[in-house]
Amino acid sequence: MCPSGFSSSSTAEEVTQGIHGDGLTAIVTGTTHGIGIETARVLALRGVHVIMAVRNVVAAKAVKEAILKEIHTAKVDVKELDLSSMASVRKFASEFTSSGFPLNILINNAGITATPFSLSKDNIELQFATNHLGHFLLTHLLLDTMKKTASVSKRQGRIVNVSSDGHQYTYPEGIRFDKINDESSFQLWRAYGQSKLANILHAKELARRFKEDRVDITANSLHPGAIITNIYKPEISGAVPTDLINMLGNYAMKSIQQGAATTCYVALHPHVKGVSGEYFSDNNVAKASSLAKNTDLAKKLWDFSMKIID
């Protein structure tokens, strides 16, 4: 039996069975498809007030209605957020802060996979901008609210970055600080791996800073698994490299219910209280790559990201 008592086949409902999230507020990005929808649904099922932060508000409202139809007591709100635009992130954070809502849980779930080279509205390579930088800025802008909530509620805050084992399939140096926008050396799957490595390093550095400053918030990252609707989509540009498939080949394809489990486990389960700076997979602490454990790289990424958002 795995240490947590759960495995790759456990579902999000199973790993949160009996957990009461009443009084908690969570922001979940990217809740209009796949594991994002299931994460929002299960958190709402457990009594959490869920803020769905989405690019497509119309699609999100349909998801909200479906959740409310199933769970009559659910507390769900929809707010617009385009992670590829720093202006949109700032607008979302400002409006959320002004709402006066507390914030116990932040789930940085949204992401794009292996898109051809293009630049965001802020002229940053799109995968790095969306998967890492948007979430980095969002987290940065919401930290004061999370710290205040943890202090007032006496309940530990949790930040959850949804990464991927694809983080191992990055450029040799891990993060190409000097070549983020270099189209000539761009490789779409390595750019994806780079952005997912950044998710882990971001959580690592957050955890280090929280510990140093004695802030009652944890930060962790995770691999949700190879989801049927995700990495193997035929419409994704470019064939999945064989060595990346081999890297992910240890994982059986998961259902959406199983794919959302680790996120919900890390966000809600009492076993994860006080656990910070870890990488999870299949509802248990797992091993990330050596680059993902590199504290100097994490600090460098933090400084690099801060300069861009400044």
Short mmCIF file of all heavy atoms in Angstrom, two decimals, residues 9-72:
data_model
loop_
_atom_site.label_atom_id
_atom_site.label_comp_id
_atom_site.label_asym_id
_atom_site.label_seq_id
_atom_site.Cartn_x
_atom_site.Cartn_y
_atom_site.Cartn_z
N SER A 9 -5.05 4.72 -9.37
CA SER A 9 -6.43 4.42 -9.75
C SER A 9 -7.46 5.14 -8.88
O SER A 9 -8.66 5.09 -9.15
CB SER A 9 -6.68 2.91 -9.71
OG SER A 9 -6.47 2.43 -8.40
N SER A 10 -7.02 5.82 -7.82
CA SER A 10 -7.94 6.54 -6.95
C SER A 10 -8.54 7.74 -7.68
O SER A 10 -7.88 8.38 -8.49
CB SER A 10 -7.22 7.03 -5.69
OG SER A 10 -6.62 5.96 -4.98
N THR A 11 -9.79 8.04 -7.38
CA THR A 11 -10.46 9.19 -8.01
C THR A 11 -10.45 10.39 -7.06
O THR A 11 -10.17 10.26 -5.86
CB THR A 11 -11.92 8.86 -8.35
OG1 THR A 11 -12.66 8.64 -7.13
CG2 THR A 11 -12.02 7.62 -9.24
N ALA A 12 -10.77 11.55 -7.61
CA ALA A 12 -10.80 12.77 -6.80
C ALA A 12 -11.83 12.67 -5.68
O ALA A 12 -11.61 13.17 -4.57
CB ALA A 12 -11.10 13.98 -7.70
N GLU A 13 -12.95 12.04 -5.96
CA GLU A 13 -13.96 11.86 -4.90
C GLU A 13 -13.44 10.94 -3.81
O GLU A 13 -13.66 11.19 -2.62
CB GLU A 13 -15.27 11.31 -5.49
CG GLU A 13 -16.08 12.35 -6.23
CD GLU A 13 -17.54 11.94 -6.41
OE1 GLU A 13 -18.05 11.14 -5.60
OE2 GLU A 13 -18.17 12.43 -7.37
N GLU A 14 -12.75 9.89 -4.21
CA GLU A 14 -12.24 8.93 -3.21
C GLU A 14 -11.20 9.55 -2.28
O GLU A 14 -11.21 9.31 -1.08
CB GLU A 14 -11.64 7.71 -3.93
CG GLU A 14 -12.69 6.80 -4.55
CD GLU A 14 -12.12 5.76 -5.50
OE1 GLU A 14 -10.90 5.80 -5.80
OE2 GLU A 14 -12.90 4.91 -5.97
N VAL A 15 -10.29 10.35 -2.84
CA VAL A 15 -9.22 10.90 -2.00
C VAL A 15 -9.69 12.03 -1.09
O VAL A 15 -8.98 12.43 -0.17
CB VAL A 15 -8.01 11.39 -2.84
CG1 VAL A 15 -7.46 10.27 -3.70
CG2 VAL A 15 -8.35 12.61 -3.69
N THR A 16 -10.92 12.54 -1.35
CA THR A 16 -11.46 13.61 -0.49
C THR A 16 -12.67 13.14 0.31
O THR A 16 -13.34 13.94 0.96
CB THR A 16 -11.88 14.83 -1.35
OG1 THR A 16 -12.84 14.40 -2.34
CG2 THR A 16 -10.68 15.45 -2.04
N GLN A 17 -12.94 11.85 0.27
CA GLN A 17 -14.09 11.28 0.99
C GLN A 17 -14.03 11.65 2.47
O GLN A 17 -13.01 11.46 3.13
CB GLN A 17 -14.11 9.75 0.84
CG GLN A 17 -15.36 9.08 1.37
CD GLN A 17 -16.59 9.43 0.54
OE1 GLN A 17 -16.56 9.43 -0.67
NE2 GLN A 17 -17.68 9.74 1.22
N GLY A 18 -15.12 12.21 2.99
CA GLY A 18 -15.19 12.54 4.41
C GLY A 18 -14.51 13.84 4.80
O GLY A 18 -14.53 14.23 5.98
N ILE A 19 -13.91 14.54 3.85
CA ILE A 19 -13.24 15.82 4.14
C ILE A 19 -14.25 16.96 3.97
O ILE A 19 -14.96 17.03 2.97
CB ILE A 19 -12.03 16.04 3.22
CG1 ILE A 19 -10.96 14.97 3.50
CG2 ILE A 19 -11.44 17.44 3.41
CD1 ILE A 19 -9.79 15.00 2.54
N HIS A 20 -14.31 17.84 4.97
CA HIS A 20 -15.24 18.96 4.93
C HIS A 20 -14.48 20.25 4.61
O HIS A 20 -13.65 20.70 5.39
CB HIS A 20 -15.99 19.08 6.25
CG HIS A 20 -16.79 17.87 6.59
ND1 HIS A 20 -17.95 17.52 5.93
CD2 HIS A 20 -16.57 16.88 7.50
CE1 HIS A 20 -18.43 16.38 6.42
NE2 HIS A 20 -17.61 15.97 7.37
N GLY A 21 -14.81 20.83 3.46
CA GLY A 21 -14.13 22.05 3.05
C GLY A 21 -14.96 23.31 3.32
O GLY A 21 -14.65 24.38 2.79
N ASP A 22 -15.98 23.16 4.14
CA ASP A 22 -16.84 24.31 4.46
C ASP A 22 -16.01 25.45 5.04
O ASP A 22 -15.16 25.23 5.90
CB ASP A 22 -17.92 23.91 5.48
CG ASP A 22 -18.71 22.70 5.01
OD1 ASP A 22 -18.17 21.59 5.09
OD2 ASP A 22 -19.85 22.87 4.57
N GLY A 23 -16.26 26.66 4.56
CA GLY A 23 -15.53 27.82 5.07
C GLY A 23 -14.25 28.11 4.31
O GLY A 23 -13.61 29.13 4.54
N LEU A 24 -13.88 27.21 3.40
CA LEU A 24 -12.68 27.42 2.59
C LEU A 24 -13.04 28.05 1.25
O LEU A 24 -14.09 27.75 0.68
CB LEU A 24 -11.96 26.09 2.33
CG LEU A 24 -11.39 25.34 3.54
CD1 LEU A 24 -10.80 24.00 3.09
CD2 LEU A 24 -10.33 26.16 4.26
N THR A 25 -12.16 28.90 0.74
CA THR A 25 -12.33 29.48 -0.59
C THR A 25 -11.13 29.12 -1.44
O THR A 25 -9.98 29.23 -0.99
CB THR A 25 -12.46 31.02 -0.51
OG1 THR A 25 -13.59 31.36 0.29
CG2 THR A 25 -12.63 31.63 -1.90
N ALA A 26 -11.39 28.67 -2.66
CA ALA A 26 -10.32 28.26 -3.57
C ALA A 26 -10.48 28.93 -4.92
O ALA A 26 -11.59 29.07 -5.43
CB ALA A 26 -10.32 26.74 -3.76
N ILE A 27 -9.35 29.35 -5.50
CA ILE A 27 -9.32 29.77 -6.89
C ILE A 27 -8.72 28.62 -7.69
O ILE A 27 -7.66 28.09 -7.31
CB ILE A 27 -8.48 31.04 -7.09
CG1 ILE A 27 -9.18 32.26 -6.48
CG2 ILE A 27 -8.20 31.29 -8.58
CD1 ILE A 27 -8.35 33.53 -6.51
N VAL A 28 -9.39 28.22 -8.75
CA VAL A 28 -8.87 27.17 -9.63
C VAL A 28 -8.81 27.74 -11.05
O VAL A 28 -9.84 28.16 -11.59
CB VAL A 28 -9.76 25.91 -9.62
CG1 VAL A 28 -9.09 24.79 -10.41
CG2 VAL A 28 -10.06 25.45 -8.20
N THR A 29 -7.64 27.77 -11.65
CA THR A 29 -7.52 28.27 -13.02
C THR A 29 -7.78 27.13 -14.01
O THR A 29 -7.49 25.97 -13.74
CB THR A 29 -6.13 28.88 -13.29
OG1 THR A 29 -5.13 27.85 -13.25
CG2 THR A 29 -5.78 29.95 -12.26
N GLY A 30 -8.35 27.50 -15.16
CA GLY A 30 -8.54 26.51 -16.22
C GLY A 30 -9.57 25.46 -15.89
O GLY A 30 -9.27 24.27 -15.85
N THR A 31 -10.81 25.90 -15.67
CA THR A 31 -11.85 24.95 -15.24
C THR A 31 -12.94 24.76 -16.30
O THR A 31 -14.10 24.51 -15.98
CB THR A 31 -12.50 25.44 -13.93
OG1 THR A 31 -12.90 26.81 -14.11
CG2 THR A 31 -11.55 25.34 -12.77
N THR A 32 -12.54 24.86 -17.56
CA THR A 32 -13.55 24.66 -18.62
C THR A 32 -13.35 23.35 -19.37
O THR A 32 -14.05 23.07 -20.33
CB THR A 32 -13.52 25.83 -19.63
OG1 THR A 32 -12.19 26.03 -20.09
CG2 THR A 32 -14.06 27.10 -19.00
N HIS A 33 -12.38 22.57 -18.96
CA HIS A 33 -12.21 21.26 -19.61
C HIS A 33 -11.45 20.31 -18.68
O HIS A 33 -10.75 20.73 -17.75
CB HIS A 33 -11.47 21.39 -20.94
CG HIS A 33 -10.13 22.06 -20.82
ND1 HIS A 33 -9.96 23.42 -20.89
CD2 HIS A 33 -8.89 21.53 -20.63
CE1 HIS A 33 -8.69 23.72 -20.74
NE2 HIS A 33 -8.01 22.60 -20.57
N GLY A 34 -11.61 19.02 -18.96
CA GLY A 34 -10.83 17.96 -18.32
C GLY A 34 -10.74 18.01 -16.82
O GLY A 34 -11.75 18.15 -16.12
N ILE A 35 -9.51 17.88 -16.33
CA ILE A 35 -9.32 17.77 -14.87
C ILE A 35 -9.66 19.06 -14.15
O ILE A 35 -9.96 19.03 -12.96
CB ILE A 35 -7.88 17.31 -14.52
CG1 ILE A 35 -6.83 18.31 -14.99
CG2 ILE A 35 -7.61 15.92 -15.10
CD1 ILE A 35 -5.42 17.98 -14.49
N GLY A 36 -9.65 20.19 -14.84
CA GLY A 36 -10.04 21.44 -14.21
C GLY A 36 -11.49 21.43 -13.78
O GLY A 36 -11.83 21.86 -12.67
N ILE A 37 -12.35 20.93 -14.66
CA ILE A 37 -13.78 20.82 -14.34
C ILE A 37 -13.97 19.89 -13.14
O ILE A 37 -14.69 20.22 -12.19
CB ILE A 37 -14.59 20.29 -15.54
CG1 ILE A 37 -14.58 21.30 -16.69
CG2 ILE A 37 -16.02 19.94 -15.12
CD1 ILE A 37 -15.26 20.80 -17.96
N GLU A 38 -13.33 18.73 -13.19
CA GLU A 38 -13.49 17.74 -12.11
C GLU A 38 -12.94 18.27 -10.79
O GLU A 38 -13.52 18.03 -9.72
CB GLU A 38 -12.81 16.43 -12.50
CG GLU A 38 -12.95 15.30 -11.48
CD GLU A 38 -14.37 14.77 -11.30
OE1 GLU A 38 -15.32 15.30 -11.94
OE2 GLU A 38 -14.56 13.84 -10.49
N THR A 39 -11.84 19.01 -10.84
CA THR A 39 -11.28 19.60 -9.62
C THR A 39 -12.27 20.57 -9.00
O THR A 39 -12.54 20.52 -7.79
CB THR A 39 -9.96 20.33 -9.94
OG1 THR A 39 -9.01 19.39 -10.46
CG2 THR A 39 -9.38 20.99 -8.70
N ALA A 40 -12.84 21.45 -9.83
CA ALA A 40 -13.83 22.41 -9.34
C ALA A 40 -15.06 21.70 -8.77
O ALA A 40 -15.57 22.06 -7.70
CB ALA A 40 -14.24 23.36 -10.46
N ARG A 41 -15.53 20.68 -9.47
CA ARG A 41 -16.73 19.94 -9.04
C ARG A 41 -16.53 19.27 -7.69
O ARG A 41 -17.37 19.37 -6.79
CB ARG A 41 -17.10 18.90 -10.10
CG ARG A 41 -18.42 18.18 -9.83
CD ARG A 41 -18.65 17.02 -10.78
NE ARG A 41 -17.80 15.88 -10.48
CZ ARG A 41 -18.09 14.96 -9.53
NH1 ARG A 41 -19.19 15.07 -8.80
NH2 ARG A 41 -17.28 13.94 -9.33
N VAL A 42 -15.39 18.59 -7.54
CA VAL A 42 -15.14 17.84 -6.30
C VAL A 42 -14.89 18.78 -5.12
O VAL A 42 -15.35 18.52 -4.01
CB VAL A 42 -14.00 16.83 -6.49
CG1 VAL A 42 -13.61 16.17 -5.17
CG2 VAL A 42 -14.42 15.75 -7.50
N LEU A 43 -14.18 19.87 -5.36
CA LEU A 43 -14.00 20.85 -4.27
C LEU A 43 -15.35 21.41 -3.84
O LEU A 43 -15.62 21.55 -2.64
CB LEU A 43 -13.08 21.98 -4.72
CG LEU A 43 -11.60 21.67 -4.95
CD1 LEU A 43 -10.84 22.93 -5.33
CD2 LEU A 43 -10.95 21.04 -3.73
N ALA A 44 -16.21 21.72 -4.82
CA ALA A 44 -17.54 22.23 -4.50
C ALA A 44 -18.36 21.18 -3.75
O ALA A 44 -19.11 21.49 -2.81
CB ALA A 44 -18.26 22.66 -5.78
N LEU A 45 -18.21 19.93 -4.16
CA LEU A 45 -18.89 18.81 -3.50
C LEU A 45 -18.51 18.72 -2.03
O LEU A 45 -19.33 18.37 -1.18
CB LEU A 45 -18.53 17.50 -4.22
CG LEU A 45 -19.15 16.21 -3.69
CD1 LEU A 45 -20.66 16.20 -3.90
CD2 LEU A 45 -18.51 15.00 -4.38
N ARG A 46 -17.26 19.09 -1.72
CA ARG A 46 -16.77 19.02 -0.33
C ARG A 46 -17.02 20.31 0.45
O ARG A 46 -16.53 20.48 1.56
CB ARG A 46 -15.26 18.68 -0.32
CG ARG A 46 -14.91 17.37 -1.00
CD ARG A 46 -15.66 16.19 -0.43
NE ARG A 46 -15.38 14.95 -1.18
CZ ARG A 46 -16.27 14.00 -1.37
NH1 ARG A 46 -17.51 14.13 -0.90
NH2 ARG A 46 -15.95 12.91 -2.04
N GLY A 47 -17.76 21.24 -0.17
CA GLY A 47 -18.17 22.43 0.56
C GLY A 47 -17.30 23.66 0.35
O GLY A 47 -17.53 24.71 0.96
N VAL A 48 -16.28 23.55 -0.50
CA VAL A 48 -15.39 24.67 -0.76
C VAL A 48 -16.08 25.68 -1.68
O VAL A 48 -16.76 25.30 -2.63
CB VAL A 48 -14.07 24.18 -1.42
CG1 VAL A 48 -13.15 25.36 -1.74
CG2 VAL A 48 -13.36 23.17 -0.53
N HIS A 49 -15.89 26.97 -1.39
CA HIS A 49 -16.35 28.02 -2.30
C HIS A 49 -15.32 28.11 -3.42
O HIS A 49 -14.17 28.46 -3.18
CB HIS A 49 -16.47 29.36 -1.55
CG HIS A 49 -16.82 30.51 -2.44
ND1 HIS A 49 -16.63 31.82 -2.07
CD2 HIS A 49 -17.36 30.57 -3.69
CE1 HIS A 49 -17.02 32.63 -3.04
NE2 HIS A 49 -17.47 31.89 -4.03
N VAL A 50 -15.72 27.78 -4.64
CA VAL A 50 -14.79 27.69 -5.77
C VAL A 50 -14.94 28.90 -6.70
O VAL A 50 -16.04 29.20 -7.17
CB VAL A 50 -15.03 26.39 -6.58
CG1 VAL A 50 -14.08 26.33 -7.78
CG2 VAL A 50 -14.84 25.16 -5.69
N ILE A 51 -13.82 29.57 -6.95
CA ILE A 51 -13.77 30.63 -7.94
C ILE A 51 -13.14 30.03 -9.20
O ILE A 51 -11.96 29.66 -9.19
CB ILE A 51 -12.91 31.83 -7.48
CG1 ILE A 51 -13.24 32.25 -6.05
CG2 ILE A 51 -13.04 33.00 -8.48
CD1 ILE A 51 -14.58 32.84 -5.84
N MET A 52 -13.91 29.92 -10.26
CA MET A 52 -13.41 29.39 -11.51
C MET A 52 -12.78 30.54 -12.31
O MET A 52 -13.48 31.45 -12.75
CB MET A 52 -14.55 28.76 -12.31
CG MET A 52 -15.20 27.57 -11.63
SD MET A 52 -16.74 27.03 -12.45
CE MET A 52 -16.12 26.58 -14.07
N ALA A 53 -11.47 30.50 -12.46
CA ALA A 53 -10.74 31.56 -13.17
C ALA A 53 -10.46 31.08 -14.59
O ALA A 53 -9.65 30.17 -14.79
CB ALA A 53 -9.44 31.88 -12.44
N VAL A 54 -11.14 31.68 -15.56
CA VAL A 54 -11.15 31.09 -16.91
C VAL A 54 -11.04 32.14 -18.01
O VAL A 54 -11.40 33.30 -17.84
CB VAL A 54 -12.47 30.32 -17.14
CG1 VAL A 54 -12.59 29.15 -16.19
CG2 VAL A 54 -13.67 31.24 -17.00
N ARG A 55 -10.56 31.68 -19.15
CA ARG A 55 -10.49 32.55 -20.33
C ARG A 55 -11.86 32.60 -21.02
O ARG A 55 -12.27 33.63 -21.51
CB ARG A 55 -9.42 32.00 -21.28
CG ARG A 55 -9.00 32.94 -22.38
CD ARG A 55 -7.78 32.44 -23.09
NE ARG A 55 -7.87 31.03 -23.45
CZ ARG A 55 -6.90 30.32 -23.99
NH1 ARG A 55 -5.73 30.87 -24.22
NH2 ARG A 55 -7.07 29.05 -24.28
N ASN A 56 -12.54 31.45 -21.07
CA ASN A 56 -13.83 31.35 -21.75
C ASN A 56 -14.97 31.37 -20.72
O ASN A 56 -15.33 30.34 -20.15
CB ASN A 56 -13.88 30.06 -22.58
CG ASN A 56 -15.12 29.98 -23.45
OD1 ASN A 56 -16.15 30.57 -23.15
ND2 ASN A 56 -15.03 29.21 -24.53
N VAL A 57 -15.51 32.56 -20.48
CA VAL A 57 -16.53 32.73 -19.45
C VAL A 57 -17.83 32.01 -19.81
O VAL A 57 -18.49 31.42 -18.93
CB VAL A 57 -16.81 34.24 -19.22
CG1 VAL A 57 -18.00 34.45 -18.30
CG2 VAL A 57 -15.57 34.91 -18.63
N VAL A 58 -18.19 32.00 -21.08
CA VAL A 58 -19.43 31.33 -21.50
C VAL A 58 -19.37 29.84 -21.21
O VAL A 58 -20.30 29.25 -20.64
CB VAL A 58 -19.69 31.57 -23.02
CG1 VAL A 58 -20.89 30.75 -23.48
CG2 VAL A 58 -19.92 33.05 -23.29
N ALA A 59 -18.25 29.21 -21.57
CA ALA A 59 -18.06 27.77 -21.29
C ALA A 59 -18.06 27.51 -19.79
O ALA A 59 -18.62 26.52 -19.32
CB ALA A 59 -16.76 27.29 -21.92
N ALA A 60 -17.43 28.39 -19.02
CA ALA A 60 -17.35 28.21 -17.57
C ALA A 60 -18.72 28.32 -16.91
O ALA A 60 -19.02 27.59 -15.95
CB ALA A 60 -16.40 29.24 -16.97
N LYS A 61 -19.57 29.20 -17.43
CA LYS A 61 -20.91 29.34 -16.86
C LYS A 61 -21.73 28.08 -17.09
O LYS A 61 -22.55 27.70 -16.24
CB LYS A 61 -21.61 30.57 -17.44
CG LYS A 61 -21.08 31.87 -16.85
CD LYS A 61 -21.78 33.10 -17.39
CE LYS A 61 -21.26 34.37 -16.69
NZ LYS A 61 -21.83 35.60 -17.28
N ALA A 62 -21.49 27.42 -18.20
CA ALA A 62 -22.17 26.14 -18.47
C ALA A 62 -21.69 25.07 -17.49
O ALA A 62 -22.49 24.26 -16.99
CB ALA A 62 -21.90 25.70 -19.91
N VAL A 63 -20.40 25.08 -17.20
CA VAL A 63 -19.83 24.15 -16.21
C VAL A 63 -20.42 24.44 -14.83
O VAL A 63 -20.82 23.53 -14.10
CB VAL A 63 -18.29 24.26 -16.16
CG1 VAL A 63 -17.72 23.44 -15.01
CG2 VAL A 63 -17.67 23.81 -17.48
N LYS A 64 -20.50 25.72 -14.49
CA LYS A 64 -21.07 26.12 -13.20
C LYS A 64 -22.50 25.61 -13.06
O LYS A 64 -22.88 25.05 -12.02
CB LYS A 64 -21.03 27.64 -13.06
CG LYS A 64 -21.74 28.16 -11.81
CD LYS A 64 -21.78 29.68 -11.77
CE LYS A 64 -22.63 30.16 -10.60
NZ LYS A 64 -22.67 31.64 -10.49
N GLU A 65 -23.30 25.79 -14.11
CA GLU A 65 -24.70 25.35 -14.08
C GLU A 65 -24.79 23.84 -13.89
O GLU A 65 -25.65 23.35 -13.16
CB GLU A 65 -25.44 25.76 -15.36
CG GLU A 65 -25.68 27.26 -15.49
CD GLU A 65 -26.35 27.87 -14.27
OE1 GLU A 65 -27.35 27.28 -13.79
OE2 GLU A 65 -25.85 28.90 -13.76
N ALA A 66 -23.90 23.10 -14.53
CA ALA A 66 -23.88 21.63 -14.40
C ALA A 66 -23.54 21.23 -12.97
O ALA A 66 -24.12 20.29 -12.41
CB ALA A 66 -22.88 21.03 -15.38
N ILE A 67 -22.57 21.95 -12.37
CA ILE A 67 -22.19 21.66 -10.98
C ILE A 67 -23.35 21.96 -10.04
O ILE A 67 -23.67 21.15 -9.15
CB ILE A 67 -20.93 22.47 -10.58
CG1 ILE A 67 -19.69 21.97 -11.34
CG2 ILE A 67 -20.69 22.37 -9.06
CD1 ILE A 67 -18.45 22.81 -11.13
N LEU A 68 -24.01 23.10 -10.23
CA LEU A 68 -25.13 23.49 -9.37
C LEU A 68 -26.32 22.54 -9.51
O LEU A 68 -27.06 22.30 -8.55
CB LEU A 68 -25.56 24.92 -9.68
CG LEU A 68 -24.59 26.03 -9.28
CD1 LEU A 68 -25.07 27.39 -9.79
CD2 LEU A 68 -24.39 26.06 -7.78
N LYS A 69 -26.49 22.01 -10.72
CA LYS A 69 -27.58 21.06 -10.96
C LYS A 69 -27.35 19.77 -10.18
O LYS A 69 -28.28 19.16 -9.64
CB LYS A 69 -27.68 20.75 -12.46
CG LYS A 69 -28.94 20.02 -12.87
CD LYS A 69 -29.02 19.90 -14.38
CE LYS A 69 -30.30 19.17 -14.79
NZ LYS A 69 -30.40 19.02 -16.26
N GLU A 70 -26.05 19.37 -10.11
CA GLU A 70 -25.71 18.15 -9.38
C GLU A 70 -25.60 18.39 -7.88
O GLU A 70 -26.05 17.57 -7.08
CB GLU A 70 -24.37 17.61 -9.89
CG GLU A 70 -23.93 16.34 -9.17
CD GLU A 70 -22.43 16.04 -9.32
OE1 GLU A 70 -21.77 16.66 -10.17
OE2 GLU A 70 -21.95 15.19 -8.56
N ILE A 71 -25.00 19.52 -7.51
CA ILE A 71 -24.75 19.83 -6.10
C ILE A 71 -25.48 21.13 -5.77
O ILE A 71 -24.97 22.23 -6.00
CB ILE A 71 -23.23 20.00 -5.83
CG1 ILE A 71 -22.44 18.80 -6.39
CG2 ILE A 71 -22.96 20.17 -4.34
CD1 ILE A 71 -20.98 19.10 -6.65
N HIS A 72 -26.67 21.01 -5.23
CA HIS A 72 -27.53 22.18 -5.02
C HIS A 72 -26.94 23.19 -4.04
O HIS A 72 -27.26 24.39 -4.11
CB HIS A 72 -28.93 21.74 -4.56
CG HIS A 72 -29.61 20.81 -5.53
ND1 HIS A 72 -29.78 21.12 -6.85
CD2 HIS A 72 -30.16 19.57 -5.35
CE1 HIS A 72 -30.40 20.12 -7.47
NE2 HIS A 72 -30.63 19.17 -6.58
#
